[in-house]
Amino acid sequence: MSVVVRGIRRADQSTVDGLAALGVATIHEAQGRTGVLDPRLRPIYAGAHVGGSAITVRVPPGDNWMIHAAAEQCRPGDVLVVAPTAPSETGYFGELMATAVQVRGVRGLVIDAGCRDVAELTTMGFPVWSRYVSAIGPVKQALGDVNLPVVCAGVLVRPGDVVVADDDGVVVVARERAEAVLAASLERERREAATRERYRAGELSLDVHGMREQLAERGLTYVDGQPPDDH
Amino acid sequence: MSVVVRGIRRADQSTVDGLAALGVATIHEAQGRTGVLDPRLRPIYAGAHVGGSAITVRVPPGDNWMIHAAAEQCRPGDVLVVAPTAPSETGYFGELMATAVQVRGVRGLVIDAGCRDVAELTTMGFPVWSRYVSAIGPVKQALGDVNLPVVCAGVLVRPGDVVVADDDGVVVVARERAEAVLAASLERERREAATRERYRAGELSLDVHGMREQLAERGLTYVDGQPPDDH
Amino acid sequence: MSVVVRGIRRADQSTVDGLAALGVATIHEAQGRTGVLDPRLRPIYAGAHVGGSAITVRVPPGDNWMIHAAAEQCRPGDVLVVAPTAPSETGYFGELMATAVQVRGVRGLVIDAGCRDVAELTTMGFPVWSRYVSAIGPVKQALGDVNLPVVCAGVLVRPGDVVVADDDGVVVVARERAEAVLAASLERERREAATRERYRAGELSLDVHGMREQLAERGLTYVDGQPPDDH
Amino acid sequence: MSVVVRGIRRADQSTVDGLAALGVATIHEAQGRTGVLDPRLRPIYAGAHVGGSAITVRVPPGDNWMIHAAAEQCRPGDVLVVAPTAPSETGYFGELMATAVQVRGVRGLVIDAGCRDVAELTTMGFPVWSRYVSAIGPVKQALGDVNLPVVCAGVLVRPGDVVVADDDGVVVVARERAEAVLAASLERERREAATRERYRAGELSLDVHGMREQLAERGLTYVDGQPPDDH
Amino acid sequence: MSVVVRGIRRADQSTVDGLAALGVATIHEAQGRTGVLDPRLRPIYAGAHVGGSAITVRVPPGDNWMIHAAAEQCRPGDVLVVAPTAPSETGYFGELMATAVQVRGVRGLVIDAGCRDVAELTTMGFPVWSRYVSAIGPVKQALGDVNLPVVCAGVLVRPGDVVVADDDGVVVVARERAEAVLAASLERERREAATRERYRAGELSLDVHGMREQLAERGLTYVDGQPPDDH
Amino acid sequence: MSVVVRGIRRADQSTVDGLAALGVATIHEAQGRTGVLDPRLRPIYAGAHVGGSAITVRVPPGDNWMIHAAAEQCRPGDVLVVAPTAPSETGYFGELMATAVQVRGVRGLVIDAGCRDVAELTTMGFPVWSRYVSAIGPVKQALGDVNLPVVCAGVLVRPGDVVVADDDGVVVVARERAEAVLAASLERERREAATRERYRAGELSLDVHGMREQLAERGLTYVDGQPPDDH
């Protein structure tokens, strides 16, 4: 049975936008080193950085019909998250569909498969994080689902979860934890700013973080001169 | 036996140039979703877009001697298509060879192996679509063939076929079908332009293409609220 | 036992800088087509080109503690070379650590694993050659070694060896051979400049290098017209 | 925070055993073509076929400490399901741990990483489905979780879900749906037995399933003789 | 347009059977080191060795409908060769379809995608060479072609070409060349038998094939003792 | 310059044979979790287990000439270790060469490339650990080196080092450390035997190794019942 779920819950837009302004690596750390999608998903152009509420789409291999159905469920501030039911290198998404969803305020696409028209998407400023760039076009013959939970690039994404993507990749934050993760991320940024200043001043991380003793305790030894031949 | 075939037939230059101005994805669709090379072939820099008649080269693993032999067979408007007889990550092609073929009017290179000197090739404006960027250099010790049919990145390319490449990848059009594919591609572009306008005006593809009924017939169901926990 | 070796020998800085100004492909050829790291290592931004003396680091999977220990051993003109003891897609290195080592004069990082904060690293002009871009963060719990020989991306790198990296990848030159390889590389560049001029003037490599006779001897045959159907 | 959840719910053992007797492909079809883990997971020996209730384990890269913690939570009829928090080729599991869990009635292991001691595991009859066979050993230094939901090889597995594995791979059935999927699988087997008899008698699937008309409607055409040269 | 070509030409059955008795490596050498499919195609069980006339099938990603249509075109002594139009890890083929084509005398399947039911196929003695073993099932919704030329795993296969497969992989012989390749293969086997006897008697290949002089001419040098440290 | 080094030093045969009787995983642990080659190297048949002194061979891509030169340097108890100078999927080694080296007492081959004739090699009982099985044959046209240090599948192997290979993969032990590693391996086996007995008796590793306190200290928490929905 194929389903489109309407009227999903989303996180507060201010929380979403707060997360959207932060880096993927920071959010990942702040929520306990979880939620990063497989690094094989790469942005189609450098410098893209978006965040939004996930509209999730399950698509059959090589078939993008359900992305059309998903477009209607999108609101300004959303991000499309598309997972094929079997691995696929098809280019599911291009400039025409981007036009259709960009006018609805969709901020970007995350897809564990291929996308195409990357020159046009770059010009439009519609970012995509995909596993492949592939000119191979999809068909429209089989059903899937919209707004059911999906596993995308190895991570569970539920509709309404917050998705943030930048040059480092893509991270998902559970909707219920979005506010807490935002707070933890901001706190982490503050701490890092202080560290950065000390590093810029020439201090070593060994000293800033008191690592020397810990390393010695674990058994780290310092020797002088070239390493022995018998390594 | 190793062979260089001279004086191959090419498509009309105006047809070649017409196809060269179109996108790879469009041509692929217009000829029935065929002809796209493996998406692992990627351009060495963004924004490159060329088309031309294929000069095909079969090379032994790690050996680029036959590309030198192929250079003599090139005319303005040609594109070199190189396939190794066994998979290879060697950088078969660099700035020196690009210099030699660019003066003969060659528009670019498609190679199911490695290329190198990508900084220099970018400066020269000589685009390459390759599977690897690799500084590992080739030798010149074994023969191959020039202008026999090759399978390059999973697709049959015959000498004189039309090859078009852009940011989305590479597509091949059989020489005999070039004119027909050009016409079908232009027709497709016209249709897409009309669709694009309706999308920009905010219409949904579900409505523009009358998909609602088809989806319902296949059994698509709409439900409201969050998805059930048992997914 | 974990070890940090202090006070390693380096090549003369003028030799290092001489090699740093040359291309990876050139150096590779000049030292007998050896020393290139696996082409899966790619720069995080185009146009980066550095060379320096290797500070080598062995890290456990997912653990970057030893890079902190390595930072103290770095001098201006060094390049960090990091190899995990088991394959890992973790993002071991980001903007904070780059800040810490950039103030010490480190020129770049080569890592057979992941790196992150690529937008910030690009802004800072701190280049990294890595196998992955990955937001997944490391822990700091287990020891490794600094300045022991490592195999990085398939190639042996000893502390103090010269590492050069550009858009084509990464090459290693043994410290003891650095001067000789520099001389051979410069000689190679001179020869190539002469060849380039002849290519630009329209000469064919077949003639410039006297290949016609060699090819004929090996059995290369020229035929006219289309290739036969039975290929 | 790291957690071990005790006393998870499991499906009825008779239902689990019913599913364990069926093929992975059959179950996958019967639950709507879902639930199959990435095909890169392969059995370490041919002919293994098990099913059981999932004990789920999240492990850091290269660290198997939590599998030790998980062993205590296992009951007869369970299957261990291990997912690393970052991709890893470490051999997390070998003959010693297999000895420890086999005496507790564990039927097998599914791991999206490496395993080792495959000769001994084969002799013991303890099957493992893994992404790699790898002699690289793990450490015991960092925490993870036991019996929280995991994404393993691209599929969500919750503790107590039913996992079935055979020569074709691994499939997961949600605990709540286990009974229904068992019934649907048995029904599917009955239908397939009837089809098999007709195929054995020489009937064509085109006729058994009435496909001729459907194919013709979609536009399939029959032509005689060799295909045209222009394919 | 989708097409099924009926009544294709095949090579003489005696020639086909002669080739079927030979090894893939031998045939590959005998026809000038060409025709081997990508080594990622592997047999589902060890010891399988078949040869036959190719019935070629182009299938959409994840859709096996055309294999049903192809079954009708098979005759005793044929081998099915299936290529997806876009890369796919779906398990297109299982025990039921094997039953249907085995009664028609089909000797095996070569598929550049997934297959399933490998335990049952092994029991039946129906060998498959596939890129993946995958329990993920196909749909039956879209058309392809039967008996048009296909590129399968990087090699052109035309209907009626001879396909031979063993533990080393798969090789294709053009129908028109089958007889000549058979003769060359047998001649090669005779030569190798003589060489084998000399090797068994303890002679070195350097002497049997007179390589010492050639190696010396090219510059090979012999030195005694351990290699120098500076390698 | 190409070189064959004659008369290399080997470890004591009794030490080599002692290591050859041990498992790869055990040796790897005993020498500090180092020395395992990339897990992509797999044995061509199950159950093979050999150890010997390394004869190292550097081969150009697709060219096996130097393996012929290496054969002469082999003594009973040796293992051939072959590394291509650029990645290659060619089948460098088959039954004929195995015949030639088996009569000289060579125990097996480790190759970071392809091998072929696997059915014949299995019958002969000549084991190979390779990255690919590939029917694609090599040429004999270019030189390499014999008995210089090589990096094979990511690990440095020097001539005369001890190589052990089994179903888990391949490990290298530096010649100078062979005796010490043998002793450490045997000690490790003794400890493991004791642990095995306790596991067989039903004890948990948590208790056998006193892990409970360590886990609690690090912060591991036990909770009862199903995991919360918000994972």
Side-chain angles (χ1 to χ4, degrees):
Chain A
M1 203 191 68
S2 289
V3 159
V4 177
V5 177
R6 289 183 295 215
I8 60 160
R9 283 201 290 273
R10 290 164 174 89
D12 267 4
Q13 193 59 38
S14 62
T15 307
V16 173
D17 290 344
L19 285 164
L22 294 164
V24 168
T26 296
I27 295 170
H28 157 74
E29 296 281 358
Q31 68 178 347
R33 271 197 295 273
T34 61
V36 171
L37 276 64
D38 189 301
R40 280 162 199 80
L41 296 205
R42 297 297 304 142
I44 57 169
Y45 54 85
H49 187 157
V50 303
S53 301
I55 297 295
T56 61
V57 195
R58 289 182 189 168
V59 292
D63 194 310
N64 79 344
W65 216 6
M66 295 314 289
I67 307 181
H68 291 269
E72 189 176 23
Q73 307 308 319
C74 293
R75 297 201 321 213
D78 285 346
V79 167
L80 279 162
V81 176
V82 179
T85 57
S88 173
E89 300 184 6
T90 296
Y92 281 82
F93 188 92
E95 164 264 335
L96 267 183
M97 294 204 58
T99 301
V101 298
Q102 199 178 40
V103 298
R104 300 181 74 80
V106 173
R107 294 177 173 178
L109 166 72
V110 173
I111 182 165
D112 191 14
C115 101
R116 56 183 186 167
D117 297 340
V118 301
E120 291 82 357
L121 293 169
T122 304
T123 304
M124 291 169 66
F126 188 89
V128 176
W129 285 258
S130 71
R131 187 174 290 253
Y132 305 101
V133 170
S134 166
I136 298 172
V139 297
K140 285 166 193 58
Q141 295 181 318
L143 299 185
D145 302 288
V146 175
N147 283 336
L148 291 188
V150 297
V151 173
C152 183
V155 174
L156 180 68
V157 185
R158 300 166 312 158
D161 283 349
V162 184
V163 172
V164 179
D166 65 13
D167 286 326
D168 286 346
V170 184
V171 70
V172 172
V173 180
R175 181 174 51 79
E176 303 86 343
R177 299 175 59 196
E179 217 163 330
V181 171
L182 173 56
S185 300
L186 292 170
E187 172 55 25
R188 186 178 171 86
E189 287 221 321
R190 271 188 291 274
R191 284 198 314 273
E192 289 200 339
T195 299
R196 187 177 297 109
E197 283 319 299
R198 296 182 65 179
Y199 285 2
R200 276 196 185 133
E203 283 191 79
L204 283 167
S205 54
L206 294 180
D207 299 313
V208 171
H209 302 299
M211 291 173 179
R212 289 189 194 277
E213 299 69 27
Q214 297 170 316
L215 288 167
E217 260 169 48
R218 297 283 179 101
L220 189 65
T221 310
Y222 284 79
V223 301
D224 290 304
Q226 285 298 105
D229 270 356
D230 169 20
H231 39 85
Chain B
M1 200 191 70
S2 288
V3 158
V4 176
V5 177
R6 290 183 294 216
I8 59 160
R9 283 200 290 274
R10 290 165 175 86
D12 268 6
Q13 193 59 38
S14 63
T15 307
V16 173
D17 290 344
L19 285 164
L22 293 164
V24 168
T26 296
I27 294 170
H28 157 73
E29 296 281 357
Q31 69 178 345
R33 272 197 293 276
T34 62
V36 171
L37 276 64
D38 190 300
R40 280 162 201 79
L41 297 204
R42 298 297 303 143
I44 58 168
Y45 54 85
H49 187 157
V50 304
S53 300
I55 297 297
T56 60
V57 195
R58 289 181 189 169
V59 291
D63 194 311
N64 79 344
W65 215 7
M66 295 313 290
I67 307 182
H68 291 269
E72 188 175 24
Q73 306 308 317
C74 292
R75 297 202 320 214
D78 285 346
V79 167
L80 278 163
V81 177
V82 179
T85 57
S88 173
E89 301 185 5
T90 296
Y92 281 82
F93 187 93
E95 165 265 336
L96 269 183
M97 295 204 58
T99 301
V101 298
Q102 199 179 40
V103 299
R104 300 181 73 80
V106 173
R107 294 176 173 177
L109 166 71
V110 173
I111 181 165
D112 191 14
C115 100
R116 56 183 187 166
D117 297 340
V118 300
E120 292 82 357
L121 293 170
T122 304
T123 304
M124 292 169 65
F126 189 89
V128 176
W129 285 257
S130 71
R131 188 175 289 253
Y132 305 102
V133 170
S134 167
I136 299 171
V139 297
K140 286 167 193 58
Q141 295 182 317
L143 299 184
D145 303 287
V146 175
N147 282 336
L148 290 189
V150 297
V151 172
C152 182
V155 174
L156 180 68
V157 185
R158 300 167 311 160
D161 283 348
V162 184
V163 172
V164 180
D166 65 13
D167 287 326
D168 287 346
V170 184
V171 70
V172 171
V173 179
R175 182 175 51 79
E176 304 87 344
R177 298 176 60 197
E179 216 163 331
V181 171
L182 172 57
S185 300
L186 293 170
E187 171 55 25
R188 187 179 170 87
E189 287 221 322
R190 271 188 291 274
R191 283 200 313 274
E192 290 200 339
T195 299
R196 187 178 295 111
E197 283 319 299
R198 295 183 65 180
Y199 285 2
R200 276 195 186 136
E203 282 191 81
L204 284 166
S205 54
L206 295 181
D207 298 313
V208 170
H209 302 299
M211 292 173 177
R212 290 189 194 277
E213 298 69 30
Q214 297 170 315
L215 289 166
E217 258 170 50
R218 297 281 179 105
L220 189 65
T221 310
Y222 284 79
V223 301
D224 292 303
Q226 287 298 106
D229 270 356
D230 171 18
H231 40 84
Chain C
M1 200 192 70
S2 288
V3 158
V4 176
V5 178
R6 288 183 295 213
I8 60 161
R9 283 200 290 273
R10 291 166 173 86
D12 267 5
Q13 193 58 39
S14 63
T15 307
V16 173
D17 290 344
L19 285 164
L22 295 164
V24 168
T26 297
I27 296 170
H28 157 74
E29 296 281 357
Q31 69 178 344
R33 272 197 294 275
T34 62
V36 171
L37 276 65
D38 189 301
R40 280 162 200 81
L41 295 206
R42 297 296 303 142
I44 58 168
Y45 55 85
H49 187 156
V50 304
S53 300
I55 297 297
T56 61
V57 195
R58 289 182 189 169
V59 291
D63 195 310
N64 79 343
W65 215 6
M66 294 315 289
I67 307 181
H68 291 270
E72 189 176 24
Q73 308 307 318
C74 293
R75 297 201 321 213
D78 285 346
V79 167
L80 279 163
V81 176
V82 179
T85 57
S88 173
E89 300 184 6
T90 296
Y92 281 82
F93 187 93
E95 165 263 336
L96 269 183
M97 295 204 57
T99 301
V101 298
Q102 200 179 38
V103 297
R104 299 181 74 80
V106 173
R107 294 175 174 180
L109 166 71
V110 172
I111 181 164
D112 191 14
C115 100
R116 56 183 186 167
D117 297 340
V118 301
E120 291 81 357
L121 293 170
T122 304
T123 304
M124 290 169 66
F126 188 88
V128 176
W129 285 257
S130 71
R131 187 175 290 253
Y132 305 102
V133 171
S134 167
I136 298 172
V139 296
K140 286 167 193 59
Q141 297 181 316
L143 300 184
D145 302 288
V146 175
N147 282 336
L148 292 189
V150 297
V151 173
C152 184
V155 174
L156 179 68
V157 184
R158 301 168 310 159
D161 283 349
V162 184
V163 172
V164 180
D166 64 13
D167 287 327
D168 287 346
V170 184
V171 71
V172 171
V173 179
R175 182 175 51 81
E176 303 85 344
R177 301 175 58 198
E179 217 163 332
V181 171
L182 173 57
S185 300
L186 292 170
E187 171 55 25
R188 186 177 171 86
E189 287 220 323
R190 272 188 291 274
R191 284 199 313 274
E192 290 200 340
T195 300
R196 188 178 296 110
E197 283 319 299
R198 296 181 65 180
Y199 285 2
R200 277 196 185 133
E203 282 190 83
L204 282 166
S205 53
L206 293 180
D207 298 314
V208 170
H209 303 298
M211 291 174 179
R212 289 188 194 279
E213 298 68 30
Q214 297 170 316
L215 288 166
E217 260 170 48
R218 297 282 179 102
L220 189 65
T221 311
Y222 285 79
V223 302
D224 292 304
Q226 286 300 105
D229 270 357
D230 170 19
H231 39 83
Chain D
M1 200 191 69
S2 288
V3 158
V4 176
V5 177
R6 291 183 294 215
I8 59 159
R9 282 200 290 273
R10 290 165 174 87
D12 267 4
Q13 193 59 38
S14 63
T15 307
V16 173
D17 290 343
L19 285 164
L22 294 165
V24 168
T26 297
I27 295 170
H28 156 74
E29 296 281 356
Q31 68 178 347
R33 272 198 294 274
T34 61
V36 171
L37 276 65
D38 190 300
R40 279 161 200 82
L41 296 204
R42 295 298 302 143
I44 58 168
Y45 55 86
H49 187 156
V50 304
S53 300
I55 297 296
T56 60
V57 195
R58 290 182 188 167
V59 293
D63 194 309
N64 78 345
W65 215 7
M66 295 313 290
I67 306 182
H68 291 270
E72 189 175 23
Q73 307 308 317
C74 292
R75 296 200 323 214
D78 285 346
V79 167
L80 279 163
V81 177
V82 179
T85 56
S88 173
E89 300 184 7
T90 296
Y92 280 82
F93 186 94
E95 165 265 335
L96 268 184
M97 295 204 58
T99 300
V101 298
Q102 199 178 40
V103 298
R104 301 181 73 80
V106 173
R107 294 177 172 176
L109 166 71
V110 173
I111 181 165
D112 191 14
C115 100
R116 55 183 187 167
D117 297 340
V118 301
E120 292 81 356
L121 293 170
T122 305
T123 303
M124 293 169 64
F126 189 88
V128 177
W129 285 256
S130 70
R131 187 174 290 254
Y132 305 101
V133 171
S134 166
I136 299 171
V139 295
K140 286 165 194 58
Q141 296 181 316
L143 300 184
D145 303 286
V146 175
N147 283 335
L148 291 189
V150 297
V151 173
C152 183
V155 174
L156 179 68
V157 185
R158 300 167 313 158
D161 283 349
V162 184
V163 171
V164 180
D166 65 14
D167 287 326
D168 287 345
V170 185
V171 70
V172 172
V173 179
R175 182 175 49 81
E176 304 86 344
R177 299 176 58 196
E179 217 164 329
V181 171
L182 173 57
S185 300
L186 293 171
E187 172 56 24
R188 186 178 171 87
E189 286 220 324
R190 270 189 291 275
R191 283 199 314 273
E192 290 200 340
T195 300
R196 188 178 297 110
E197 283 319 299
R198 297 182 64 179
Y199 285 2
R200 275 193 187 138
E203 283 190 81
L204 283 166
S205 54
L206 294 180
D207 298 314
V208 171
H209 302 298
M211 292 173 176
R212 289 189 194 278
E213 298 70 29
Q214 296 169 315
L215 288 166
E217 259 170 49
R218 296 283 179 101
L220 189 65
T221 310
Y222 285 78
V223 301
D224 291 304
Q226 287 298 106
D229 271 358
D230 169 19
H231 40 84
Chain E
M1 201 192 70
S2 288
V3 158
V4 176
V5 177
R6 289 183 295 215
I8 59 160
R9 283 199 291 271
R10 291 165 173 87
D12 267 4
Q13 193 60 38
S14 62
T15 307
V16 173
D17 290 343
L19 286 164
L22 294 164
V24 168
T26 297
I27 295 170
H28 157 75
E29 296 282 357
Q31 67 177 346
R33 271 197 294 277
T34 61
V36 171
L37 277 64
D38 189 301
R40 280 162 199 81
L41 296 205
R42 297 296 303 141
I44 58 168
Y45 54 86
H49 187 157
V50 302
S53 301
I55 297 296
T56 59
V57 195
R58 288 182 189 168
V59 292
D63 195 310
N64 79 344
W65 215 6
M66 295 315 288
I67 306 182
H68 292 269
E72 189 175 22
Q73 307 307 318
C74 293
R75 296 202 322 214
D78 285 347
V79 167
L80 279 163
V81 176
V82 179
T85 56
S88 173
E89 301 184 6
T90 295
Y92 281 82
F93 186 93
E95 164 263 336
L96 269 183
M97 295 204 58
T99 301
V101 300
Q102 199 178 40
V103 298
R104 301 181 73 81
V106 173
R107 295 176 173 179
L109 166 71
V110 173
I111 181 165
D112 191 14
C115 101
R116 55 183 187 166
D117 297 340
V118 300
E120 292 81 357
L121 293 169
T122 304
T123 304
M124 292 169 65
F126 189 89
V128 176
W129 285 257
S130 71
R131 186 175 291 253
Y132 306 101
V133 170
S134 166
I136 299 172
V139 296
K140 287 165 193 58
Q141 295 182 316
L143 299 184
D145 303 288
V146 175
N147 283 335
L148 291 188
V150 296
V151 173
C152 183
V155 174
L156 180 68
V157 184
R158 301 166 311 158
D161 283 349
V162 184
V163 172
V164 180
D166 64 13
D167 286 325
D168 287 346
V170 184
V171 70
V172 172
V173 180
R175 183 175 49 81
E176 304 86 344
R177 300 176 58 197
E179 218 163 329
V181 171
L182 173 56
S185 300
L186 292 170
E187 171 56 26
R188 186 178 172 86
E189 287 220 323
R190 270 188 292 273
R191 283 199 314 273
E192 289 201 339
T195 300
R196 187 179 298 111
E197 284 319 299
R198 296 182 65 179
Y199 286 2
R200 277 197 186 134
E203 283 191 81
L204 283 167
S205 54
L206 294 180
D207 298 313
V208 171
H209 302 299
M211 292 173 177
R212 290 188 194 279
E213 299 69 29
Q214 297 170 317
L215 288 167
E217 259 171 47
R218 295 284 179 102
L220 189 65
T221 311
Y222 284 79
V223 302
D224 291 305
Q226 286 299 105
D229 270 357
D230 169 20
H231 40 84
Chain F
M1 201 192 70
S2 287
V3 158
V4 176
V5 177
R6 289 182 295 214
I8 59 160
R9 282 199 291 273
R10 291 164 174 87
D12 267 4
Q13 193 59 36
S14 63
T15 307
V16 173
D17 289 344
L19 285 164
L22 294 165
V24 168
T26 296
I27 295 169
H28 156 73
E29 296 282 357
Q31 69 178 345
R33 272 198 293 277
T34 61
V36 171
L37 277 66
D38 190 300
R40 279 162 200 81
L41 296 205
R42 296 298 302 142
I44 58 168
Y45 55 86
H49 187 156
V50 304
S53 300
I55 297 296
T56 59
V57 195
R58 289 181 188 169
V59 291
D63 194 311
N64 78 345
W65 215 6
M66 294 314 289
I67 307 182
H68 292 268
E72 189 176 23
Q73 307 307 319
C74 292
R75 297 201 321 213
D78 285 346
V79 167
L80 280 163
V81 176
V82 179
T85 57
S88 172
E89 301 184 6
T90 295
Y92 281 82
F93 187 92
E95 165 264 336
L96 268 183
M97 295 204 58
T99 300
V101 299
Q102 199 178 39
V103 298
R104 301 181 74 79
V106 174
R107 295 176 173 179
L109 166 70
V110 173
I111 181 165
D112 191 15
C115 100
R116 56 183 187 167
D117 297 340
V118 299
E120 291 81 357
L121 293 169
T122 304
T123 303
M124 293 169 65
F126 189 88
V128 177
W129 285 257
S130 70
R131 188 174 289 254
Y132 305 101
V133 171
S134 168
I136 298 171
V139 296
K140 286 166 193 57
Q141 296 182 316
L143 299 184
D145 302 288
V146 175
N147 282 335
L148 291 188
V150 297
V151 173
C152 183
V155 174
L156 180 68
V157 185
R158 301 166 311 158
D161 283 348
V162 184
V163 172
V164 180
D166 64 14
D167 287 326
D168 287 345
V170 184
V171 69
V172 172
V173 180
R175 183 175 49 80
E176 303 86 343
R177 298 176 58 199
E179 217 164 330
V181 171
L182 173 56
S185 300
L186 292 171
E187 172 56 25
R188 186 178 171 86
E189 286 220 324
R190 270 189 291 274
R191 283 199 314 273
E192 289 201 340
T195 299
R196 188 177 297 111
E197 284 318 297
R198 296 181 66 179
Y199 285 2
R200 275 194 187 139
E203 282 191 82
L204 284 166
S205 55
L206 294 180
D207 298 314
V208 171
H209 302 299
M211 292 173 178
R212 288 189 195 278
E213 299 68 31
Q214 297 170 315
L215 288 166
E217 258 171 48
R218 296 284 179 102
L220 188 66
T221 309
Y222 284 79
V223 301
D224 291 304
Q226 285 300 105
D229 271 357
D230 170 18
H231 38 84

